[in-house]
């Protein structure tokens, strides 16, 4: 049987103080308020019922306070499921404490209080899926004065006024917390790790790989994924179900619209205060505006002369835009035009602009028009994806032909190949510096089996692939899809765990890490089984509405 905290500590003076304090508290708070100093009777409202353990809304709130969640907005708590984490933690505590009692473990409320006074800490259980940033386990709970002596008044204030609980409620909760923690210790102690597991864990830690790779992102190819109305119509007909589904999900974007304009732009950039540079940009803008006003195709002009790399390939297309989405020169100019009209040259951020207002709309967009827009976007995305895949396949074929990643990088940039021993010209400009998400050769650097060597994407498939390869066959068999991107890669270096590095110290360290991780997994599985058994027996009832109602009234 578990030794009581009093027996373990042997602090008889502290024990006397605790018993005296409990007696004083019983006299002072033994009336109706002994159920906890809560508002609106929430100390008695049940949040959950676990076998014979009653979890009240008042206790739920006290744990929010202990964890600092009472200082966060309801929206933040809801977005991070924090209230759910707290309530599930209280349920987990009740299940574990009940099992500990069935195994013969015991601890009195007085012993629980004694432990707090002696250690200046308490236990808080949250659910096993709680975010790592949330405080949990053994937390500081200061009940001592500046000289390090127990402060009865401080303890009383923290329980009554900060947590709004009675001493009996508080002590019982901590007794259950200690029993739950001992039960977790029992579960963790049952975990065993084999020598094979320890070696495998060590290998996972020390195996390293390094990979050359190129990412082909569909977003880079969107400007090359232009489609005619006929192509969009054909795609929409072939994917009608997908378009209908997207329309239903986005219907609100096409109803009750404020006035919008579908516009195009031609942009001429200038930097700095040099009047000659500014005048040259203005002269180009005037020439383009004159051609557009004379009837030249605006989209073709934009493709040929615009400096805006983001819209140039799309003929300067800005799509439909409501007011207040773009800089003031846009709103002031374009919304004053009639449909089909071309603006004068306008000075704005970074240079000179020429705009064309193609069409206005507001209110409800006709269903077929909305679906056509959705189909256009989806079709462009599909074409961009196909272009990215084709570029990745071409790059892989280039490497299979015996070329290096350095040569591939120059080929992707449109630069001439270098002869053996030749260095790149000092004044050479890489055109990809002006492009978004352009494919280029990169190196992961050394990484392990549990690392993420490429930022911004789930690189686990690449890690798995790299550790299944060896330097005798280092090139990927086909492009790997990581998120939206296609990745062509080649194993550059691979190092394996070495027996001589597997020292006794390393074995002990790895075994300890493995036991801790497996112990926490065992606790999760055990709690899952306990909760399933309680549900099956009809001994677990959760009243979320009571918690929500109490929160709305607080």
């Amino acid at each position: 049987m578990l030794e009581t905290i009093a027996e373990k500590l042997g602090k008889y003076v502290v024990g006397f103080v605790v018993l005296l304090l409990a007696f004083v508290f019983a006299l002072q708070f033994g009336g109706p308020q002994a159920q906890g100093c809560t508002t609106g009777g929430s100390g008695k409202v049940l949040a959950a019922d676990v076998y014979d353990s009653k979890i009240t809304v008042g206790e739920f709130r006290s744990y929010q306070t202990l964890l600092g969640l009472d200082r966060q907005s309801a929206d933040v708590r809801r977005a991070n499921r924090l209230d759910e984490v707290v309530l599930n933690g209280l349920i987990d505590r009740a299940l574990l404490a009940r099992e500990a009692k069935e195994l013969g473990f015991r601890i009195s409320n007085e012993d629980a209080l004694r432990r707090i006074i002696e250690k200046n800490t308490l236990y808080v259980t949250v659910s096993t899926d709680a975010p790592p940033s949330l405080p949990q386990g053994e937390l500081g709970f200061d009940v001592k004065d500046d000289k390090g002596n127990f402060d009865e008044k401080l303890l009383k204030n923290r329980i009554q006024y900060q947590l709004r609980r009675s001493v009996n409620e508080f002590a019982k909760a901590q007794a259950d917390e200690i029993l739950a923690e001992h039960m977790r210790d029992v579960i963790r102690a049952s975990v065993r790790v084999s020598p094979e597991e320890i070696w495998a864990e060590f290998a996972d830690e020390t195996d390293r790989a390094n990979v050359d790779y190129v990412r082909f992102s569909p977003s880079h190819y969107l400007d090359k994924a232009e489609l005619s109305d006929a192509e969009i119509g054909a795609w929409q007909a072939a994917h009608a179900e997908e378009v209908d589904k997207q329309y239903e999900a986005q219907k609100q974007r096409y109803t009750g619209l404020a006035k919008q304009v579908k516009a195009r732009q031609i942009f001429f950039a200038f930097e700095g205060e040099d009047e000659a540079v500014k005048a040259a940009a203005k002269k180009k803008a005037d020439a383009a505006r004159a051609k557009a006003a004379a009837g030249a195709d605006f989209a073709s002009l934009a493709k040929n002369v615009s400096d805006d790399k983001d819209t140039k390939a799309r003929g300067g297309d800005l799509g439909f835009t409501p007011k207040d989405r773009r800089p003031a020169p846009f709103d002031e100019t374009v919304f004053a035009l009639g449909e089909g009209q071309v603006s004068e040259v306008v000075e704005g951020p970074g240079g000179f602009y020429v705009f064309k207002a193609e069409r206005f709309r507001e209110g409800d967009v006709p269903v077929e028009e909305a679906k056509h827009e959705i189909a256009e976007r989806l079709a462009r995305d599909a074409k961009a994806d196909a272009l990215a895949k084709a570029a990745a396949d071409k790059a892989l074929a280039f490497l299979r032909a015996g070329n290096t990643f350095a040569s591939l990088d120059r080929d992707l940039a449109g630069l001439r190949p270098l002869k053996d021993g030749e260095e790149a010209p000092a004044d050479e400009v890489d055109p990809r510096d002006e492009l978004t998400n352009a494919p280029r050769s990169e190196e992961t650097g050394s990484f392990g089996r549990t690392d993420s060597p490429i930022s911004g994407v789930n690189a686990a498939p690449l890690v798995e692939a790299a550790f299944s390869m060896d330097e005798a066959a280092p090139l990927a068999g086909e492009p790997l899809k990581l998120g939206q991107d296609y990745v062509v890669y080649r194993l550059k270096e691979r190092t394996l765990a070495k027996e001589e590095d597997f020292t006794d110290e390393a074995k002990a360290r790895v075994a300890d890490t493995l036991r801790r991780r497996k112990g926490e997994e065992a606790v999760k599985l055990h709690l899952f089984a306990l909760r399933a058994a309680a549900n099956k027996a009809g001994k677990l009832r959760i009243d979320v509405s009571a918690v929500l109602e109490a929160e709305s009234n607080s």
Side-chain angles (χ1 to χ4, degrees):
M1 182 179 294
L2 176 68
E3 291 184 333
T4 65
I5 299 298
E7 291 169 337
K8 185 181 291 186
L9 294 174
K11 303 291 187 178
Y12 298 109
V13 174
V14 173
F16 175 76
V17 172
V18 172
L19 292 173
L20 178 61
L21 180 63
F23 176 72
V24 172
F25 273 25
L27 289 178
Q28 291 182 346
F29 307 108
Q33 65 269 47
Q35 294 301 319
C37 302
T38 57
T39 302
S42 62
K44 298 179 182 179
V45 177
L46 289 185
D49 193 344
V50 188
Y51 291 98
D52 56 351
S53 181
K54 313 296 182 184
I55 300 171
T56 66
V57 172
E59 185 171 19
F60 167 79
R61 281 183 171 176
S62 74
Y63 268 58
Q64 283 184 318
T65 302
L66 279 171
L67 296 169
L69 303 184
D70 57 328
R71 298 189 295 271
Q72 299 190 21
S73 69
D75 288 341
V76 170
R77 296 201 309 271
R78 190 179 305 111
N80 294 282
R81 299 175 43 252
L82 297 180
D83 289 346
E84 179 184 338
V85 161
V86 171
L87 185 56
N88 280 331
L90 290 169
I91 293 168
D92 289 348
R93 184 197 71 190
L95 290 168
L96 289 170
R98 177 179 180 272
E99 188 175 34
K101 292 171 186 175
E102 289 181 344
L103 292 177
F105 295 115
R106 294 290 183 271
I107 184 169
S108 68
N109 294 355
E110 288 78 11
D111 289 337
L113 281 174
R114 182 180 292 110
R115 185 195 178 282
I116 292 171
I117 294 170
E118 176 66 23
K119 291 184 173 292
N120 237 29
T121 63
L122 48 64
Y123 282 111
V124 174
T125 297
V126 295
S127 68
T128 55
D129 62 346
S133 58
L134 190 67
Q136 54 190 289
E138 190 171 9
L139 307 180
F141 192 73
D142 190 11
V143 292
K144 294 183 178 180
D145 61 22
D146 294 340
K147 296 180 180 180
N149 299 318
F150 166 61
D151 189 331
E152 174 187 336
K153 184 178 179 181
L154 179 59
L155 177 61
K156 168 185 167 182
N157 287 341
R158 295 204 70 177
I159 294 174
Q160 179 188 5
Y161 299 114
Q162 182 183 358
L163 302 179
R164 301 198 295 182
R165 309 298 287 155
S166 73
V167 65
N168 290 332
E169 290 170 328
F170 177 78
K172 181 181 182 304
Q174 279 305 297
D176 282 350
E177 285 284 4
I178 293 169
L179 288 173
E181 182 62 20
H182 278 292
M183 197 62 227
R184 281 189 284 265
D185 286 342
V186 169
I187 297 167
R188 294 175 186 129
S190 68
V191 168
R192 296 290 181 270
V193 293
S194 67
E196 293 77 17
E197 287 177 301
I198 297 172
W199 168 256
E201 182 76 7
F202 177 76
D204 283 350
E205 282 187 1
T206 54
D207 282 1
R208 310 296 294 177
N210 190 7
V211 168
D212 287 321
Y213 71 97
V214 180
R215 291 171 67 170
F216 295 86
S217 175
S219 62
H220 172 69
Y221 297 91
L222 275 172
D223 289 344
K224 302 177 180 65
E226 289 299 303
L227 298 164
S228 66
D229 281 343
E231 289 175 312
I232 295 169
W235 193 94
Q236 182 175 351
H239 301 82
E241 185 176 346
E242 182 180 355
V243 172
D244 290 346
K245 184 178 179 180
Q246 286 289 318
Y247 173 74
E248 291 301 322
Q250 302 176 34
K251 190 183 295 185
Q252 73 280 358
R253 295 178 55 190
Y254 297 96
T255 56
L257 301 180
K259 190 175 183 179
Q260 299 181 338
V261 61
K262 180 174 173 58
R264 292 182 186 270
Q265 71 174 20
I266 305 174
F267 173 64
F268 297 91
F270 70 85
E271 296 180 356
E273 301 297 327
D274 190 319
E275 290 298 324
V277 173
K278 183 175 181 180
K282 177 67 162 56
K283 184 177 181 180
K284 292 179 182 178
D286 287 336
R289 195 270 168 191
K291 290 179 181 179
D297 183 71
F298 195 95
S300 296
L301 276 173
K303 288 180 179 180
N304 291 327
V305 301
S306 180
D307 291 334
D308 182 18
K309 63 179 182 295
D310 292 328
T311 64
K312 179 175 182 175
R314 301 196 306 271
D317 186 10
L318 299 172
F320 276 100
T321 307
K323 281 188 175 181
D324 301 323
R325 288 285 181 85
R326 297 187 184 277
F330 175 89
D331 283 356
E332 294 167 0
T333 303
V334 178
F335 280 94
L337 297 173
E339 287 193 355
Q341 285 188 332
V342 175
S343 74
E344 299 293 335
V345 174
V346 179
E347 184 174 350
F352 294 102
Y353 296 79
V354 181
F355 298 111
K356 180 178 181 180
E358 294 197 330
R359 190 176 154 220
F360 293 92
R361 73 182 182 188
E362 61 184 314
D364 295 345
V365 178
V367 173
E368 287 309 311
E369 180 182 335
K371 288 185 177 181
H372 183 79
E373 275 188 27
I374 291 171
E376 180 179 8
R377 175 175 55 80
L378 294 177
R380 284 186 69 220
D381 288 346
K383 185 171 182 179
D385 184 84
L387 290 171
K389 175 65 163 59
D393 288 337
K394 181 180 177 182
L396 190 55
F398 184 86
L399 292 170
R400 284 189 185 128
N403 295 293
T404 65
F405 260 75
S407 296
L408 172 62
D409 194 54
R410 295 189 63 80
D411 185 70
L412 292 170
L415 301 172
R416 69 171 179 82
L418 295 175
K419 298 176 182 178
D420 289 343
E422 181 186 7
E423 294 185 0
D427 59 348
E428 186 176 75
V429 176
D430 190 332
R432 293 173 298 182
D433 294 341
E434 296 293 320
L435 302 175
T436 302
N437 293 331
R440 61 178 70 239
S441 176
E442 299 180 74
E443 181 181 336
T444 61
S446 178
F447 63 89
R449 292 176 181 269
T450 59
D451 294 333
S452 183
I454 302 180
S455 62
V457 67
N458 176 16
L462 177 64
V463 173
E464 182 180 356
F467 282 103
S468 68
M469 302 168 73
D470 59 49
E471 293 169 333
L475 190 60
E478 60 182 359
L480 185 65
K481 192 77 180 285
L482 295 183
Q484 300 298 315
D485 298 349
Y486 293 92
V487 177
V488 171
Y489 60 96
R490 178 164 58 191
L491 182 66
K492 185 173 185 177
E493 185 181 12
R494 171 83 185 276
T495 58
L496 299 175
K498 299 176 181 178
E499 286 283 355
E500 57 265 31
D501 296 330
F502 194 44
T503 62
D504 289 342
E505 181 181 352
K507 291 176 185 178
R509 176 185 58 78
V510 172
D512 185 57
T513 299
L514 191 56
R515 271 193 294 268
R516 282 201 306 271
R517 186 169 71 242
K518 290 185 69 175
E520 295 312 311
E521 291 171 357
V523 170
K524 287 183 181 182
L525 290 173
H526 194 79
L527 276 167
F528 181 82
L530 289 179
R531 190 177 281 243
N535 275 318
K536 185 176 181 180
K539 297 297 184 180
L540 175 58
R541 183 184 67 84
I542 303 173
D543 189 354
V544 177
S545 63
V547 177
L548 295 176
E549 182 179 356
E551 288 303 298
S552 65
N553 293 331
S554 62

